Coordinates of all heavy atoms in Angstrom, one line a residue:
M1 N 86.2 -59.3 295.4 CA 85.7 -59.7 294.2 C 85.7 -61.3 294.1 O 86.6 -61.9 294.6 CB 86.6 -59.2 293.0 CG 86.4 -57.8 292.8 SD 87.2 -57.1 291.3 CE 88.6 -58.1 291.0
G2 N 84.6 -61.8 293.6 CA 84.6 -63.2 293.4 C 85.1 -63.7 292.1 O 85.5 -62.9 291.2
G3 N 85.2 -65.0 291.9 CA 85.7 -65.6 290.7 C 84.8 -65.3 289.5 O 85.3 -65.4 288.3
G4 N 83.6 -64.9 289.7 CA 82.7 -64.7 288.6 C 83.1 -63.5 287.8 O 82.8 -63.4 286.6
F5 N 83.9 -62.6 288.3 CA 84.4 -61.4 287.6 C 85.4 -61.9 286.5 O 85.7 -61.2 285.6 CB 85.0 -60.4 288.5 CG 83.9 -59.5 289.1 CD1 83.5 -59.8 290.4 CD2 83.4 -58.5 288.4 CE1 82.6 -59.0 291.0 CE2 82.4 -57.7 289.0 CZ 82.0 -57.9 290.3
V6 N 86.0 -63.0 286.7 CA 86.9 -63.6 285.7 C 86.2 -64.7 284.9 O 86.3 -64.8 283.7 CB 88.2 -64.2 286.4 CG1 89.0 -64.9 285.4 CG2 88.9 -63.1 287.1
L7 N 85.5 -65.6 285.6 CA 84.8 -66.7 285.0 C 83.8 -66.4 283.9 O 83.8 -66.9 282.8 CB 84.2 -67.6 286.1 CG 83.6 -68.9 285.7 CD1 84.7 -69.8 285.1 CD2 83.0 -69.6 286.9
V8 N 83.0 -65.4 284.2 CA 81.9 -65.0 283.3 C 82.5 -64.4 282.0 O 82.1 -64.9 280.9 CB 80.9 -64.1 283.9 CG1 79.9 -63.5 282.9 CG2 80.1 -64.8 285.0
P9 N 83.3 -63.4 282.0 CA 83.9 -62.9 280.8 C 84.7 -63.9 280.0 O 84.6 -63.9 278.7 CB 84.8 -61.7 281.2 CG 84.3 -61.3 282.5 CD 83.8 -62.6 283.2
L10 N 85.4 -64.8 280.6 CA 86.2 -65.8 279.9 C 85.3 -66.8 279.2 O 85.5 -67.2 278.0 CB 87.1 -66.6 280.9 CG 88.3 -65.8 281.4 CD1 89.1 -66.7 282.3 CD2 89.2 -65.3 280.2
Q11 N 84.2 -67.1 279.8 CA 83.2 -68.0 279.2 C 82.6 -67.4 277.9 O 82.5 -68.0 276.9 CB 82.1 -68.4 280.1 CG 82.5 -69.4 281.2 CD 81.4 -69.8 282.1 OE1 80.6 -70.7 281.7 NE2 81.2 -69.1 283.2
V12 N 82.2 -66.1 278.1 CA 81.6 -65.4 277.0 C 82.6 -65.1 275.8 O 82.3 -65.4 274.7 CB 80.9 -64.1 277.5 CG1 80.4 -63.3 276.3 CG2 79.8 -64.4 278.4
L13 N 83.7 -64.6 276.2 CA 84.7 -64.2 275.1 C 85.5 -65.3 274.5 O 85.7 -65.3 273.3 CB 85.6 -63.1 275.7 CG 85.0 -61.8 276.2 CD1 86.0 -60.9 276.8 CD2 84.3 -61.1 275.0
W14 N 86.0 -66.2 275.3 CA 86.8 -67.3 274.8 C 86.1 -68.6 274.4 O 86.5 -69.2 273.5 CB 87.9 -67.6 275.8 CG 89.0 -66.5 275.9 CD1 89.1 -65.4 275.2 CD2 90.1 -66.5 276.8 NE1 90.2 -64.7 275.5 CE2 90.8 -65.4 276.5 CE3 90.6 -67.4 277.7 CZ2 92.0 -65.0 277.2 CZ3 91.7 -67.1 278.4 CH2 92.4 -65.9 278.1
A15 N 85.1 -68.9 275.2 CA 84.4 -70.2 275.0 C 83.2 -70.0 274.2 O 82.6 -71.0 273.8 CB 84.1 -70.9 276.3
G16 N 82.7 -68.8 273.9 CA 81.5 -68.6 273.1 C 80.2 -69.0 273.8 O 79.2 -69.2 273.2
V17 N 80.3 -69.1 275.2 CA 79.1 -69.4 275.9 C 78.1 -68.2 276.0 O 78.6 -67.1 276.2 CB 79.5 -69.9 277.3 CG1 78.3 -70.1 278.2 CG2 80.4 -71.1 277.3
P18 N 76.8 -68.4 275.7 CA 75.9 -67.3 275.8 C 76.0 -66.6 277.2 O 76.2 -67.3 278.2 CB 74.5 -67.9 275.6 CG 74.8 -69.1 274.8 CD 76.2 -69.6 275.3
Q19 N 75.8 -65.3 277.3 CA 75.9 -64.6 278.6 C 75.0 -65.2 279.6 O 75.4 -65.4 280.8 CB 75.4 -63.1 278.3 CG 75.6 -62.3 279.6 CD 77.0 -62.0 279.9 OE1 77.8 -61.5 279.0 NE2 77.4 -62.2 281.1
R20 N 73.8 -65.6 279.3 CA 72.8 -66.1 280.3 C 73.4 -67.4 280.9 O 73.3 -67.6 282.1 CB 71.5 -66.4 279.6 CG 70.4 -66.8 280.4 CD 69.1 -66.8 279.6 NE 68.9 -65.7 278.7 CZ 68.5 -64.5 279.1 NH1 68.3 -64.2 280.3 NH2 68.3 -63.6 278.2
F21 N 74.0 -68.3 280.1 CA 74.5 -69.6 280.6 C 75.8 -69.3 281.4 O 76.1 -70.0 282.3 CB 74.8 -70.5 279.4 CG 73.6 -71.0 278.7 CD1 73.7 -71.6 277.5 CD2 72.3 -71.0 279.3 CE1 72.6 -72.1 276.8 CE2 71.2 -71.5 278.7 CZ 71.3 -72.0 277.4
A22 N 76.6 -68.3 280.9 CA 77.8 -68.0 281.7 C 77.5 -67.6 283.1 O 78.2 -67.9 284.0 CB 78.6 -67.0 280.9
N23 N 76.5 -66.7 283.2 CA 76.1 -66.3 284.6 C 75.6 -67.4 285.4 O 76.0 -67.5 286.6 CB 75.0 -65.2 284.5 CG 75.5 -63.9 283.9 OD1 76.6 -63.7 283.7 ND2 74.6 -63.0 283.8
A24 N 74.8 -68.3 284.8 CA 74.3 -69.5 285.6 C 75.5 -70.4 285.9 O 75.5 -70.9 287.1 CB 73.3 -70.2 284.8
N25 N 76.4 -70.6 285.0 CA 77.5 -71.5 285.3 C 78.4 -71.0 286.4 O 78.8 -71.7 287.3 CB 78.4 -71.6 284.0 CG 77.8 -72.4 282.9 OD1 76.8 -73.1 283.1 ND2 78.3 -72.3 281.7
S26 N 78.5 -69.7 286.5 CA 79.3 -69.1 287.5 C 78.7 -69.3 288.9 O 79.3 -69.6 289.9 CB 79.5 -67.6 287.2 OG 80.2 -66.9 288.3
L27 N 77.3 -69.1 288.9 CA 76.6 -69.4 290.2 C 76.8 -70.8 290.7 O 77.0 -71.1 291.8 CB 75.2 -69.0 290.1 CG 74.9 -67.5 290.0 CD1 73.4 -67.3 289.7 CD2 75.3 -66.8 291.2
V28 N 76.6 -71.7 289.7 CA 76.7 -73.2 290.1 C 78.1 -73.5 290.5 O 78.3 -74.4 291.4 CB 76.2 -74.0 288.9 CG1 76.5 -75.5 289.2 CG2 74.7 -73.8 288.7
A29 N 79.1 -72.9 289.9 CA 80.5 -73.2 290.2 C 80.9 -72.8 291.6 O 81.9 -73.4 292.2 CB 81.5 -72.5 289.2
I30 N 80.2 -71.9 292.2 CA 80.5 -71.5 293.6 C 80.3 -72.6 294.6 O 81.1 -72.7 295.5 CB 79.6 -70.3 294.0 CG1 80.0 -69.1 293.1 CG2 79.7 -70.0 295.4 CD1 79.0 -67.9 293.3
I31 N 79.4 -73.5 294.3 CA 79.1 -74.6 295.3 C 80.3 -75.5 295.6 O 80.7 -75.6 296.7 CB 77.8 -75.4 294.8 CG1 76.6 -74.5 294.8 CG2 77.6 -76.6 295.7 CD1 75.4 -75.1 294.0
P32 N 80.9 -76.1 294.5 CA 82.0 -77.0 294.9 C 83.2 -76.2 295.4 O 84.0 -76.7 296.2 CB 82.3 -77.7 293.6 CG 81.7 -76.9 292.5 CD 80.5 -76.2 293.1
I33 N 83.4 -75.0 294.9 CA 84.5 -74.2 295.4 C 84.4 -73.9 296.9 O 85.3 -74.0 297.6 CB 84.6 -72.9 294.6 CG1 85.0 -73.2 293.1 CG2 85.6 -71.9 295.2 CD1 84.8 -72.0 292.2
A34 N 83.2 -73.5 297.3 CA 82.9 -73.2 298.7 C 83.1 -74.5 299.5 O 83.6 -74.4 300.6 CB 81.6 -72.6 298.9
L35 N 82.5 -75.6 299.1 CA 82.6 -76.8 299.8 C 84.1 -77.3 300.0 O 84.5 -77.8 301.0 CB 81.8 -77.9 299.2 CG 80.3 -77.7 299.3 CD1 79.5 -78.8 298.5 CD2 79.8 -77.7 300.7
A36 N 84.9 -77.1 298.9 CA 86.3 -77.5 299.0 C 87.1 -76.6 300.0 O 88.0 -77.0 300.7 CB 86.9 -77.5 297.6
A37 N 86.7 -75.3 300.0 CA 87.4 -74.3 300.8 C 87.0 -74.4 302.3 O 87.9 -74.1 303.2 CB 87.2 -72.9 300.3
L38 N 85.8 -74.8 302.6 CA 85.4 -74.8 304.0 C 86.3 -75.6 304.9 O 86.7 -75.0 306.0 CB 83.9 -75.4 304.1 CG 83.3 -75.5 305.5 CD1 83.2 -74.1 306.1 CD2 82.0 -76.2 305.4
P39 N 86.6 -76.9 304.7 CA 87.5 -77.5 305.7 C 88.9 -76.9 305.8 O 89.5 -77.0 306.8 CB 87.5 -79.0 305.1 CG 87.1 -78.9 303.7 CD 86.2 -77.7 303.6
I40 N 89.3 -76.4 304.7 CA 90.7 -75.8 304.7 C 90.7 -74.6 305.7 O 91.6 -74.4 306.5 CB 91.1 -75.3 303.3 CG1 91.3 -76.6 302.4 CG2 92.4 -74.5 303.4 CD1 91.4 -76.3 300.9
Y41 N 89.7 -73.7 305.6 CA 89.7 -72.5 306.5 C 89.2 -72.9 307.9 O 89.6 -72.2 308.8 CB 88.8 -71.4 305.8 CG 89.5 -70.8 304.7 CD1 89.1 -71.0 303.4 CD2 90.6 -69.9 304.9 CE1 89.7 -70.4 302.3 CE2 91.2 -69.3 303.9 CZ 90.8 -69.5 302.6 OH 91.5 -68.9 301.5
Y42 N 88.3 -73.8 308.0 CA 87.7 -74.1 309.3 C 88.7 -74.8 310.2 O 88.8 -74.6 311.4 CB 86.5 -75.0 309.2 CG 85.7 -75.1 310.5 CD1 84.9 -74.0 310.9 CD2 85.8 -76.2 311.3 CE1 84.3 -74.0 312.1 CE2 85.2 -76.2 312.5 CZ 84.4 -75.2 312.9 OH 83.7 -75.2 314.1
F43 N 89.5 -75.7 309.6 CA 90.5 -76.5 310.4 C 91.9 -76.0 310.3 O 92.9 -76.7 310.7 CB 90.4 -78.0 310.0 CG 89.1 -78.6 310.3 CD1 88.3 -78.9 309.2 CD2 88.7 -78.8 311.6 CE1 87.0 -79.5 309.5 CE2 87.4 -79.3 311.8 CZ 86.6 -79.7 310.8
R44 N 92.1 -74.8 309.8 CA 93.4 -74.2 309.6 C 94.1 -73.8 310.9 O 93.4 -73.2 311.8 CB 93.3 -73.0 308.7 CG 94.6 -72.5 308.2 CD 94.2 -71.4 307.2 NE 95.4 -71.0 306.4 CZ 95.4 -70.0 305.6 NH1 94.3 -69.3 305.5 NH2 96.4 -69.8 304.9
K45 N 95.3 -74.1 311.1 CA 96.1 -73.6 312.3 C 95.5 -74.0 313.6 O 95.6 -73.3 314.6 CB 96.3 -72.1 312.2 CG 97.1 -71.7 311.0 CD 97.3 -70.2 311.1 CE 98.0 -69.7 309.8 NZ 98.2 -68.3 309.7
G46 N 94.8 -75.2 313.7 CA 94.3 -75.7 314.9 C 93.1 -75.0 315.5 O 92.4 -75.5 316.3
S47 N 92.7 -73.8 315.0 CA 91.5 -73.2 315.4 C 90.7 -72.7 314.1 O 91.4 -72.3 313.2 CB 91.8 -72.0 316.3 OG 92.5 -71.0 315.7
P48 N 89.4 -72.7 314.2 CA 88.6 -72.2 313.0 C 89.0 -70.8 312.6 O 89.1 -69.9 313.4 CB 87.2 -72.3 313.5 CG 87.2 -73.3 314.7 CD 88.6 -73.1 315.3
Q49 N 89.1 -70.6 311.3 CA 89.4 -69.3 310.7 C 88.1 -68.8 310.1 O 88.1 -67.8 309.3 CB 90.4 -69.4 309.6 CG 91.7 -70.0 310.1 CD 92.4 -69.1 311.1 OE1 92.6 -67.9 310.9 NE2 92.8 -69.7 312.3
V50 N 86.9 -69.4 310.4 CA 85.6 -69.0 309.9 C 84.8 -68.5 311.0 O 84.6 -69.1 312.1 CB 84.9 -70.2 309.2 CG1 83.6 -69.8 308.7 CG2 85.8 -70.7 308.1
D51 N 84.2 -67.3 310.9 CA 83.2 -66.8 311.8 C 81.9 -67.3 311.4 O 81.3 -66.8 310.4 CB 83.3 -65.2 311.8 CG 82.3 -64.6 312.7 OD1 81.4 -65.3 313.3 OD2 82.3 -63.3 312.9
L52 N 81.4 -68.3 312.1 CA 80.2 -69.0 311.7 C 79.0 -68.1 311.7 O 78.0 -68.2 310.9 CB 80.0 -70.3 312.5 CG 81.0 -71.4 312.3 CD1 80.7 -72.6 313.2 CD2 81.0 -71.8 310.8
H53 N 79.0 -67.2 312.7 CA 77.8 -66.2 312.8 C 77.8 -65.3 311.5 O 76.7 -65.2 310.9 CB 78.0 -65.4 314.0 CG 76.8 -64.5 314.3 ND1 76.8 -63.2 314.0 CD2 75.6 -64.8 314.8 CE1 75.6 -62.6 314.3 NE2 74.9 -63.6 314.9
A54 N 78.9 -64.8 311.1 CA 78.9 -63.9 309.9 C 78.6 -64.8 308.7 O 77.9 -64.4 307.8 CB 80.2 -63.2 309.8
A55 N 79.2 -66.0 308.7 CA 79.0 -66.9 307.5 C 77.5 -67.2 307.4 O 77.0 -67.4 306.2 CB 79.8 -68.2 307.7
L56 N 76.8 -67.4 308.5 CA 75.4 -67.7 308.4 C 74.6 -66.6 307.6 O 73.8 -66.9 306.7 CB 74.8 -67.9 309.8 CG 73.3 -68.1 309.8 CD1 72.9 -69.4 309.1 CD2 72.8 -68.1 311.2
F57 N 74.9 -65.4 307.9 CA 74.3 -64.2 307.2 C 74.7 -64.2 305.8 O 73.9 -63.9 304.9 CB 74.6 -62.9 307.9 CG 73.8 -62.7 309.2 CD1 74.5 -62.9 310.4 CD2 72.5 -62.5 309.2 CE1 73.8 -62.8 311.6 CE2 71.8 -62.3 310.4 CZ 72.4 -62.5 311.6
L58 N 75.9 -64.5 305.5 CA 76.4 -64.6 304.1 C 75.7 -65.7 303.3 O 75.3 -65.5 302.2 CB 77.9 -64.7 304.0 CG 78.7 -63.5 304.5 CD1 80.2 -63.9 304.6 CD2 78.5 -62.4 303.5
V59 N 75.5 -66.8 304.0 CA 74.8 -67.9 303.3 C 73.4 -67.6 303.0 O 72.9 -67.8 301.9 CB 74.9 -69.2 304.2 CG1 73.9 -70.3 303.7 CG2 76.3 -69.7 304.2
I60 N 72.7 -67.0 304.0 CA 71.3 -66.6 303.8 C 71.2 -65.6 302.7 O 70.4 -65.7 301.8 CB 70.7 -66.1 305.1 CG1 70.6 -67.2 306.1 CG2 69.3 -65.4 304.9 CD1 70.2 -66.7 307.5
G61 N 72.0 -64.6 302.7 CA 72.0 -63.5 301.7 C 72.3 -64.1 300.3 O 71.7 -63.7 299.3
S62 N 73.3 -65.0 300.3 CA 73.7 -65.6 299.0 C 72.6 -66.5 298.4 O 72.3 -66.4 297.2 CB 75.0 -66.5 299.2 OG 76.0 -65.7 299.6
V63 N 71.9 -67.3 299.2 CA 70.9 -68.1 298.7 C 69.7 -67.3 298.2 O 69.2 -67.5 297.1 CB 70.4 -69.1 299.8 CG1 69.1 -69.8 299.5 CG2 71.5 -70.1 300.1
V64 N 69.3 -66.3 299.0 CA 68.2 -65.4 298.5 C 68.6 -64.6 297.3 O 67.9 -64.6 296.3 CB 67.8 -64.4 299.7 CG1 66.9 -63.3 299.2 CG2 67.2 -65.2 300.8
G65 N 69.8 -64.1 297.3 CA 70.3 -63.4 296.1 C 70.4 -64.2 294.9 O 70.1 -63.8 293.7
A66 N 70.9 -65.5 295.0 CA 71.0 -66.4 293.9 C 69.6 -66.7 293.3 O 69.4 -66.8 292.1 CB 71.8 -67.6 294.3
Y67 N 68.7 -67.0 294.2 CA 67.3 -67.3 293.8 C 66.7 -66.1 293.0 O 66.2 -66.3 291.9 CB 66.4 -67.6 295.0 CG 65.0 -67.9 294.6 CD1 64.7 -69.1 294.1 CD2 64.0 -67.0 294.8 CE1 63.3 -69.4 293.7 CE2 62.7 -67.2 294.4 CZ 62.4 -68.4 293.9 OH 61.1 -68.7 293.5
V68 N 66.8 -64.9 293.6 CA 66.2 -63.7 292.9 C 66.9 -63.5 291.6 O 66.3 -63.2 290.6 CB 66.3 -62.5 293.9 CG1 65.9 -61.2 293.2 CG2 65.4 -62.7 295.1
G69 N 68.2 -63.6 291.6 CA 69.0 -63.3 290.4 C 68.7 -64.3 289.3 O 68.6 -64.0 288.2
A70 N 68.5 -65.6 289.7 CA 68.2 -66.6 288.7 C 66.8 -66.4 288.1 O 66.6 -66.6 286.9 CB 68.3 -68.0 289.3
R71 N 65.9 -65.9 288.9 CA 64.5 -65.7 288.5 C 64.5 -64.4 287.5 O 63.9 -64.4 286.5 CB 63.6 -65.4 289.6 CG 63.4 -66.5 290.6 CD 62.7 -67.7 290.0 NE 61.3 -67.5 290.0 CZ 60.4 -68.3 289.5 NH1 60.8 -69.4 289.0 NH2 59.2 -68.0 289.5
L72 N 65.3 -63.4 287.9 CA 65.4 -62.2 287.0 C 66.2 -62.5 285.7 O 65.9 -61.9 284.7 CB 66.1 -61.1 287.8 CG 65.3 -60.4 288.9 CD1 66.1 -59.4 289.7 CD2 64.0 -59.8 288.3
L73 N 67.1 -63.4 285.8 CA 68.0 -63.7 284.6 C 67.1 -64.1 283.4 O 67.4 -63.8 282.3 CB 69.0 -64.8 285.0 CG 70.0 -65.1 283.9 CD1 70.9 -63.9 283.6 CD2 70.9 -66.3 284.4
S74 N 66.1 -64.9 283.7 CA 65.2 -65.3 282.5 C 64.4 -64.2 281.9 O 63.8 -64.4 280.9 CB 64.3 -66.5 283.0 OG 63.4 -66.0 284.0
R75 N 64.3 -63.1 282.6 CA 63.4 -62.0 282.2 C 64.2 -60.9 281.5 O 63.6 -60.0 280.9 CB 62.6 -61.4 283.3 CG 61.7 -62.4 283.9 CD 60.9 -61.8 285.0 NE 59.9 -62.8 285.5 CZ 59.4 -62.8 286.6 NH1 59.7 -61.8 287.5 NH2 58.5 -63.7 287.0
I76 N 65.5 -60.9 281.6 CA 66.3 -59.8 281.1 C 66.8 -60.2 279.7 O 67.4 -61.2 279.5 CB 67.6 -59.5 282.0 CG1 67.1 -59.1 283.4 CG2 68.4 -58.4 281.4 CD1 68.2 -59.0 284.4
P77 N 66.5 -59.4 278.7 CA 67.0 -59.7 277.3 C 68.5 -59.8 277.3 O 69.3 -59.1 278.0 CB 66.5 -58.5 276.5 CG 65.4 -57.9 277.3 CD 65.8 -58.1 278.7
D78 N 69.1 -60.6 276.3 CA 70.5 -60.9 276.3 C 71.3 -59.7 276.1 O 72.4 -59.5 276.7 CB 70.8 -61.9 275.2 CG 72.1 -62.6 275.3 OD1 72.4 -63.1 276.4 OD2 72.9 -62.6 274.3
R79 N 70.9 -58.8 275.2 CA 71.7 -57.6 274.9 C 71.9 -56.7 276.2 O 72.9 -56.2 276.5 CB 71.1 -56.8 273.8 CG 71.9 -55.6 273.3 CD 71.2 -55.0 272.1 NE 72.1 -54.2 271.3 CZ 72.5 -52.9 271.5 NH1 72.1 -52.3 272.6 NH2 73.3 -52.3 270.7
E80 N 70.8 -56.5 276.9 CA 70.8 -55.7 278.1 C 71.6 -56.4 279.2 O 72.3 -55.8 280.0 CB 69.4 -55.4 278.6 CG 68.6 -54.3 277.8 CD 68.1 -54.8 276.5 OE1 68.2 -56.0 276.2 OE2 67.5 -54.0 275.8
L81 N 71.5 -57.7 279.2 CA 72.3 -58.5 280.2 C 73.8 -58.3 280.0 O 74.6 -58.1 280.9 CB 71.9 -60.0 280.1 CG 72.6 -60.9 281.1 CD1 72.2 -60.5 282.6 CD2 72.2 -62.3 280.9
K82 N 74.2 -58.4 278.7 CA 75.6 -58.2 278.4 C 76.1 -56.8 278.8 O 77.1 -56.6 279.3 CB 75.9 -58.4 276.9 CG 75.9 -59.9 276.5 CD 76.3 -60.0 275.1 CE 76.4 -61.5 274.7 NZ 76.8 -61.7 273.3
F83 N 75.2 -55.8 278.5 CA 75.6 -54.4 278.8 C 75.7 -54.3 280.3 O 76.6 -53.6 280.8 CB 74.5 -53.5 278.2 CG 74.8 -52.0 278.6 CD1 75.7 -51.3 277.9 CD2 74.1 -51.4 279.6 CE1 76.0 -50.0 278.2 CE2 74.3 -50.1 279.9 CZ 75.3 -49.4 279.2
G84 N 74.7 -54.8 281.1 CA 74.8 -54.7 282.5 C 76.0 -55.4 283.1 O 76.7 -54.8 284.0
V85 N 76.4 -56.5 282.6 CA 77.6 -57.2 283.1 C 78.8 -56.4 282.8 O 79.7 -56.2 283.6 CB 77.7 -58.6 282.5 CG1 79.1 -59.3 282.9 CG2 76.6 -59.5 283.1
A86 N 78.9 -55.9 281.5 CA 80.0 -55.0 281.1 C 80.1 -53.8 282.0 O 81.2 -53.3 282.4 CB 79.9 -54.7 279.7
L87 N 79.0 -53.2 282.3 CA 79.0 -52.0 283.1 C 79.5 -52.2 284.5 O 80.3 -51.5 285.1 CB 77.6 -51.4 283.2 CG 77.4 -50.1 284.0 CD1 78.1 -49.0 283.3 CD2 75.9 -49.8 284.1
I88 N 79.0 -53.3 285.1 CA 79.5 -53.7 286.5 C 81.0 -54.0 286.5 O 81.7 -53.5 287.3 CB 78.7 -54.9 287.0 CG1 77.3 -54.5 287.3 CG2 79.3 -55.5 288.3 CD1 76.3 -55.6 287.6
L89 N 81.5 -54.7 285.4 CA 82.9 -55.0 285.4 C 83.7 -53.7 285.2 O 84.8 -53.6 285.8 CB 83.2 -56.0 284.2 CG 82.7 -57.4 284.4 CD1 82.9 -58.2 283.1 CD2 83.5 -58.1 285.5
G90 N 83.2 -52.8 284.4 CA 83.9 -51.5 284.2 C 84.0 -50.7 285.5 O 85.0 -50.2 285.9
V91 N 82.9 -50.7 286.2 CA 82.8 -49.9 287.5 C 83.8 -50.6 288.5 O 84.5 -49.9 289.2 CB 81.4 -49.9 288.1 CG1 81.4 -49.3 289.5 CG2 80.5 -49.0 287.2
V92 N 83.8 -51.9 288.6 CA 84.7 -52.6 289.6 C 86.1 -52.4 289.1 O 87.0 -52.1 290.0 CB 84.3 -54.1 289.7 CG1 85.4 -54.8 290.4 CG2 83.0 -54.3 290.3
G93 N 86.4 -52.4 287.8 CA 87.7 -52.2 287.3 C 88.2 -50.8 287.7 O 89.4 -50.6 288.1
L94 N 87.4 -49.8 287.4 CA 87.8 -48.4 287.8 C 88.0 -48.2 289.3 O 89.0 -47.6 289.7 CB 86.7 -47.4 287.3 CG 86.7 -47.1 285.8 CD1 85.5 -46.3 285.5 CD2 88.0 -46.4 285.4
K95 N 87.1 -48.8 290.1 CA 87.3 -48.8 291.5 C 88.6 -49.3 291.9 O 89.4 -48.8 292.8 CB 86.2 -49.5 292.2 CG 86.2 -49.4 293.7 CD 86.8 -50.6 294.3 CE 87.0 -50.5 295.8 NZ 88.1 -51.4 296.3
E96 N 89.0 -50.5 291.4 CA 90.3 -51.1 291.7 C 91.5 -50.3 291.3 O 92.5 -50.2 291.9 CB 90.4 -52.5 291.1 CG 89.5 -53.5 291.8 CD 89.8 -53.7 293.2 OE1 91.0 -53.9 293.6 OE2 88.9 -53.7 294.0
L97 N 91.3 -49.6 290.1 CA 92.4 -48.8 289.6 C 92.6 -47.5 290.5 O 93.7 -47.1 290.8 CB 92.2 -48.3 288.2 CG 92.5 -49.4 287.1 CD1 92.0 -48.9 285.8 CD2 93.9 -49.8 287.1
L98 N 91.5 -46.9 290.8 CA 91.5 -45.6 291.5 C 91.6 -45.7 293.0 O 92.2 -44.8 293.7 CB 90.3 -44.8 291.1 CG 90.1 -44.5 289.6 CD1 88.8 -43.8 289.3 CD2 91.3 -43.7 289.1
L99 N 91.0 -46.7 293.6 CA 90.9 -46.9 295.1 C 91.3 -48.3 295.4 O 90.5 -49.1 295.9 CB 89.5 -46.6 295.6 CG 88.9 -45.3 295.3 CD1 87.4 -45.3 295.6 CD2 89.6 -44.2 296.0
P100 N 92.6 -48.7 295.3 CA 93.0 -50.0 295.5 C 92.9 -50.5 296.9 O 92.9 -50.2 297.9 CB 94.5 -50.1 295.1 CG 94.9 -48.7 294.9 CD 93.7 -47.8 294.8

């Protein structure tokens, strides 16, 4: 699970940020977090702790997914967006409770 599972609901419930902006903020927040973590994991314990081959596929998938998600975000009505996010959070929560 990524930080978005915490970041998005906190923004919506506590900060009063609209769902659409909270989703976008979460995606943008990933950039500095990843950049800060890269040298820590790459230079840890004298040898890289990052599989660059696997990371390349994750980067490609993330960029494509973020682009498609951002394009779809503008087309989904706010009520349905909130319902979808709540449904995903509920499914992930149940999975964590039942199959830790």
Side-chain angles (χ1 to χ4, degrees):
M1 286 191 330
F5 280 97
V6 174
L7 187 60
V8 172
L10 288 178
Q11 288 181 84
V12 173
L13 297 174
W14 286 358
V17 175
Q19 184 72 51
R20 189 172 317 285
F21 292 161
N23 288 357
N25 292 344
S26 176
L27 289 175
V28 172
I30 291 169
I31 296 167
I33 294 167
L35 290 175
L38 177 64
I40 294 168
Y41 286 108
Y42 192 77
F43 297 111
R44 190 177 197 185
K45 296 182 184 175
S47 66
Q49 303 294 310
V50 177
D51 180 351
L52 294 177
H53 186 260
L56 175 65
F57 286 104
L58 290 172
V59 167
I60 292 169
S62 298
V63 169
V64 171
Y67 177 78
V68 171
R71 301 292 281 179
L72 288 174
L73 186 62
S74 64
R75 296 183 178 156
I76 301 171
D78 198 50
R79 187 173 202 280
E80 284 80 1
L81 183 61
K82 282 185 179 183
F83 179 77
V85 171
L87 182 65
I88 290 170
L89 288 172
V91 168
V92 170
L94 282 174
K95 184 265 176 204
E96 288 298 315
L97 284 173
L98 301 175
L99 305 167

